[in-house]
Amino acid sequence: MARVLRHKQVWLLCLVGMGGGLTWSTYLTFWATFAQDDLGLSKGTTGVVLGCSALTIIPGSLVAAWAVDRVGSRRLFLIIATLSQVPLFGLWALIEDPVALTVIGLAQGLSWIYFPIMLSVPFDLEGFGASDVALATGMFFVANAAALTVGPAVSGMVAEWVSLRTVLLV
């Protein structure tokens, strides 16, 4: 366990997993209400936008390995895909046009290409055996699950004092 805990890459993976989990769970919990109450979107339109986001997670996950092989840099993909989520989620809180929201949702879902790439990192860490890879991956999933729980709870409490748009933008 000590060997795994000494690797900064493992801690970085956990932080990235937490960031993705916090943001995704907060949006999944609150965006539909925001879209209907503040943007005036129908329940059907709201469902399509959220569904399109999840729809592109599938091809993004399946082409992740191919994309990394073509570019040759897993680090570059992790940085681009992870950082692209920030403005894409933010645009969901700023734009009111359903077509634009759907396109943004498709792009946002595709940005989850980072997830399978990130899960491959522990396999390449020097000195890691199978049990180390399992522990590092397990730490990532624990961090991600904790964030999935904490994101909506904290965001909901903050939304008692500030607008839901502000919560979604932060």
Side-chain angles (χ1 to χ4, degrees), residues 11 16 32 35 47 54 87 89 105 107 117 122-123 149:
W11 292 104
V16 170
F89 274 122
I117 296 168
F123 288 95
T149 303

Side-chain angles (χ1 to χ4, degrees), residues 118-141:
M118 195 166 47
L119 293 177
S120 70
V121 169
F123 288 95
D124 293 333
L125 295 177
E126 190 173 325
F128 268 37
S131 61
D132 298 323
V133 170
L135 178 58
T137 305
M139 287 175 58
F140 166 77
F141 277 104

Side-chain angles (χ1 to χ4, degrees), residues 78-97:
L78 285 173
I79 291 168
I80 291 171
T82 303
L83 293 180
S84 71
Q85 287 193 331
V86 175
L88 291 170
F89 274 122
L91 287 172
W92 262 3
L94 297 173
I95 293 177
E96 299 180 15
D97 178 59

Side-chain angles (χ1 to χ4, degrees), residues 12-57:
L12 184 58
L13 291 176
C14 290
L15 286 174
V16 170
M18 288 181 74
L22 283 166
T23 308
W24 176 249
S25 62
T26 297
Y27 264 80
L28 202 57
T29 303
F30 294 109
W31 188 80
T33 299
F34 167 76
Q36 292 168 37
D37 293 350
D38 292 28
L39 302 180
L41 299 180
S42 70
K43 291 176 183 140
T45 300
T46 302
V48 167
V49 171
L50 284 172
C52 283
S53 177
L55 178 68
T56 53
I57 291 173

